[in-house]
Amino acid sequence: MGICNVTPDSFSDGGRHLSPEAARARVDELLAEGADIVDVGGESTRPGAPAVPAKEQLLRVLEVVRYAAKERGACVSIDTRSPEVAAACLEAGAQEVNDVSCLADEGLAKVVAQAGAALVLMHARGTQTEMAGFSQYPAEGYRDVVADVIIEWTAAAERAVALGVAREHLVMDPGFGFAKNAAQSLELLRRLEEVVRAVPAPVMVGASRKSFLTKAAPVPPAERLGASVAAALFAVRAGAKLVRVHDVRATRQALATDRLLHERGG
Ligand code: HH2
């Protein structure tokens, strides 16, 4: 899944794809690099980011979604917590809703159910506006981060199913960096196999350029390619079915090479 942030303030690429031309060019770039899904978002989730009203999100993303889905024939995911934004984007050709709020608004599940769309449910606690800072969260916030994330995600998934979302249309995302400090995110990724085994849905990992990856190499977001590719590779080996990334070409290259090297007699 390639990331198309149509925002002025995303943590690693804010403002780069805000104009309609730049956003379309970003879609073209992601598809040329081999993205299977284009994730379009009009609201940053960086800590402290203000909520963006639905109207403003739609001004940013609707034409981009339409372009990617209708003109480029891409599989489009809309990254939003807003039922109104989700409904308009599904109508414009998106096939999936990416919810970073872990179903804070049940209206979102109703919209997804009505459209027969897919729903990425990402584990989180509270909104980005409430988050203190990148990778800041109390150590005592979890009894066991893996067990707690699975329990809380499963409860949200059951709510979504009760609201009409098809069980087989759910994707699980542990929510790296969301209500988790760096140690908690690292532990969650390290033990991803346990999550994959426990959850009856495909697992998606979004670790790309995130600050918890800087423990080994403290560099700014745009310089975290190596760490991001390593994390994606680790996630896929642990059983993740999707990785949400900024750098599709490098990630694909690494995954394809890894697969080749693991082939026997090839
Ligand atoms: N992370 C971000 C945004 N959306 N969605 C899912 N499912 N999983 C994630 O890990 C995830 C996500 C944050 O990254 P980014 O989009 O690059 O930044 P911003 O939220 O500042 O636009």
Side-chain angles (χ1 to χ4, degrees):
M1 174 185 278
I3 302 170
C4 181
N5 283 325
V6 195
T7 57
D9 56 347
S10 286
F11 80 92
S12 84
D13 55 0
R16 288 194 56 201
H17 317 115
L18 193 54
S19 76
E21 301 74 39
R24 278 198 296 272
R26 176 63 176 157
V27 169
D28 293 342
E29 179 181 51
L30 291 171
L31 295 175
E33 291 190 1
D36 294 317
I37 304 170
V38 175
D39 188 42
V40 181
E43 180 183 55
S44 171
T45 59
R46 79 189 153 73
V52 179
K55 237 190 197 133
E56 177 65 29
Q57 286 188 49
L58 283 172
L59 278 175
R60 294 175 182 175
V61 301
L62 195 58
E63 276 312 308
V64 186
V65 168
R66 190 170 291 137
Y67 171 74
K70 297 276 163 66
E71 287 187 46
R72 298 301 320 271
C75 177
V76 177
S77 150
I78 172 67
D79 188 340
T80 190
R81 307 173 285 145
S82 154
E84 190 182 334
V85 174
C89 290
L90 291 170
E91 181 74 33
Q95 297 175 39
E96 179 172 83
V97 174
N98 177 18
D99 175 23
V100 298
S101 78
C102 207
L103 207 55
D105 185 338
E106 297 199 332
L108 196 68
K110 291 182 191 156
V111 165
V112 170
Q114 201 155 28
L119 176 63
V120 178
L121 259 187
M122 194 200 75
H123 176 268
R125 290 171 173 175
T127 68
Q128 67 270 26
T129 316
E130 294 156 8
M131 285 201 284
F134 283 116
S135 288
Q136 284 183 33
Y137 201 69
E140 63 280 10
Y142 294 92
R143 190 180 42 88
D144 170 350
V145 70
V146 173
D148 292 351
V149 164
I150 291 169
I151 289 168
E152 290 167 28
W153 182 85
T154 303
E158 289 307 326
R159 280 195 293 133
V161 170
L163 289 159
V165 176
R167 212 174 268 284
E168 61 274 20
H169 288 175
L170 283 175
V171 174
M172 191 278 183
D173 186 329
F176 293 94
F178 289 83
K180 287 148 198 107
N181 62 33
Q184 289 158 343
S185 286
L186 281 170
E187 182 175 357
L188 199 48
L189 187 53
R190 228 178 257 133
R191 294 172 57 196
L192 192 72
E193 273 181 0
E194 291 176 47
V195 179
V196 169
R197 268 201 304 272
V199 166
V203 170
M204 179 161 103
V205 164
S208 187
R209 300 187 184 177
K210 288 195 176 159
S211 62
F212 81 95
L213 297 177
T214 60
K215 198 167 180 199
V219 289
E223 294 170 33
R224 296 174 189 165
L225 177 61
S228 302
V229 169
L233 199 56
F234 182 90
V236 171
R237 282 191 183 173
K241 291 282 183 269
L242 300 111
V243 281
R244 179 182 182 276
V245 302
H246 300 85
D247 303 288
V248 173
R249 191 191 308 278
T251 309
R252 266 208 172 280
Q253 217 173 67
L255 292 173
T257 307
D258 189 59
R259 202 173 302 131
L260 194 69
L261 291 170
H262 282 88
E263 271 175 15
R264 294 205 175 265

